[in-house]
Amino acid sequence: MGKVEGGMKCVKYLLFVFNFIFWIMGSFVLAVGLWLRFDPETVTLLNGDRAPDTFFIGVYILIGAGGLVMLVGFFGCCGAVRESQCLLGSFFACLLIIFGAEVAAGVFGFLNKDKIIEDVQSYYTSTYNESINGTLINSYLKILNCCGTKANPCPDREPDTKDCETGIKDFFNNKLYIIGYVGVGIAGVMIIGMIFSMVLCCAIRNSRDVI
């Protein structure tokens, strides 16, 4: 098998380093996704049979993409070291899939931000109207320091306690921006990886043609 030489050899090692960083970033994305899914505050606020699951859809996409990024980063490293067209081709194909998933998670987080917040607000409002002293209402008061709604505030609310429509909006805005920025950011890094893999595949093919 022909070996890549000169500048292409430099690309080979750059691709290896990039894939190692890619693997680390996949670990980070997976960790962020798991944190968003199992964050005690988020789980408590969305606990209940009627709780909306829209928020967790974007989180699941992030978790799946993060795990796949780790796996693909490993195979990308192997493909770069072995100069294997097969592994690099598979790496490139998987990058396209992950790229789509990450963009989907990012776009989902940004475009559905208002809907997710409205769903949680509606869930809280219906629960609050049924029982003002329920366990879930107390959880919102403890975690978000909020109680009641703008239309139906708590009768004994403290002066520094905000209404839960505002509290929910502030809380989930922060979470959804994390999903959006992480998804779009990783997708941008993937574009660099696809360029490197295409260049190295072409170099390997040309070196074999010479032989």
Side-chain angles (χ1 to χ4, degrees):
M1 180 181 69
K3 298 288 185 179
V4 292
E5 300 293 343
M8 287 301 102
K9 193 169 186 179
C10 180
V11 173
K12 165 185 171 180
Y13 290 114
L14 281 175
L15 182 60
F16 175 82
V17 172
F18 174 84
N19 276 286
F20 180 72
I21 297 174
F22 197 59
W23 182 85
I24 295 176
M25 293 183 70
S27 304
F28 171 74
V29 172
L30 181 61
V32 170
L34 291 174
W35 169 68
L36 289 171
R37 176 59 185 88
F38 297 105
D39 174 41
E41 293 183 349
T42 306
V43 172
T44 301
L45 297 180
L46 295 179
N47 184 32
D49 295 335
R50 295 179 300 167
D53 58 358
T54 319
F55 171 77
F56 288 123
I57 294 176
V59 174
Y60 290 141
I61 296 175
L62 209 60
I63 292 174
L68 196 55
V69 165
M70 292 179 64
L71 183 64
V72 171
F74 172 76
F75 285 117
C77 287
C78 294
V81 171
R82 295 172 59 87
E83 298 177 13
S84 169
Q85 280 185 289
C86 179
L87 284 175
L88 287 173
S90 300
F91 168 74
F92 181 80
C94 289
L95 274 186
L96 288 176
I97 297 173
I98 301 173
F99 177 79
E102 293 287 358
V103 171
V107 171
F108 181 88
F110 284 124
L111 295 185
N112 291 278
K113 179 171 63 69
D114 293 336
K115 182 181 185 305
I116 293 171
I117 292 173
E118 289 173 2
D119 287 345
V120 179
Q121 289 173 336
S122 298
Y123 170 60
Y124 173 84
T125 301
S126 62
T127 305
Y128 177 77
N129 291 335
E130 291 175 3
S131 176
I132 191 172
N133 294 315
T135 302
L136 183 65
I137 302 303
N138 291 330
S139 297
Y140 275 78
L141 174 61
K142 180 180 179 181
I143 295 173
L144 303 183
N145 190 31
C146 69
C147 184
T149 64
K150 294 178 180 178
N152 188 16
C154 287
D156 55 349
R157 187 172 69 180
E158 297 292 333
D160 61 338
T161 302
K162 54 192 172 184
D163 66 273
C164 278
E165 289 173 330
T166 302
I168 290 170
K169 182 177 180 179
D170 294 340
F171 180 83
F172 282 95
N173 260 335
N174 293 332
K175 302 289 184 181
L176 291 167
Y177 276 127
I178 291 175
I179 295 177
Y181 288 135
V182 169
V184 174
I186 296 297
V189 174
M190 288 178 186
I191 295 176
I192 302 174
M194 287 188 282
I195 293 173
F196 272 129
S197 62
M198 287 178 64
V199 171
L200 188 55
C201 278
C202 291
I204 294 172
R205 184 180 297 110
N206 291 337
S207 65
R208 288 179 176 175
D209 291 341
V210 171
I211 294 178

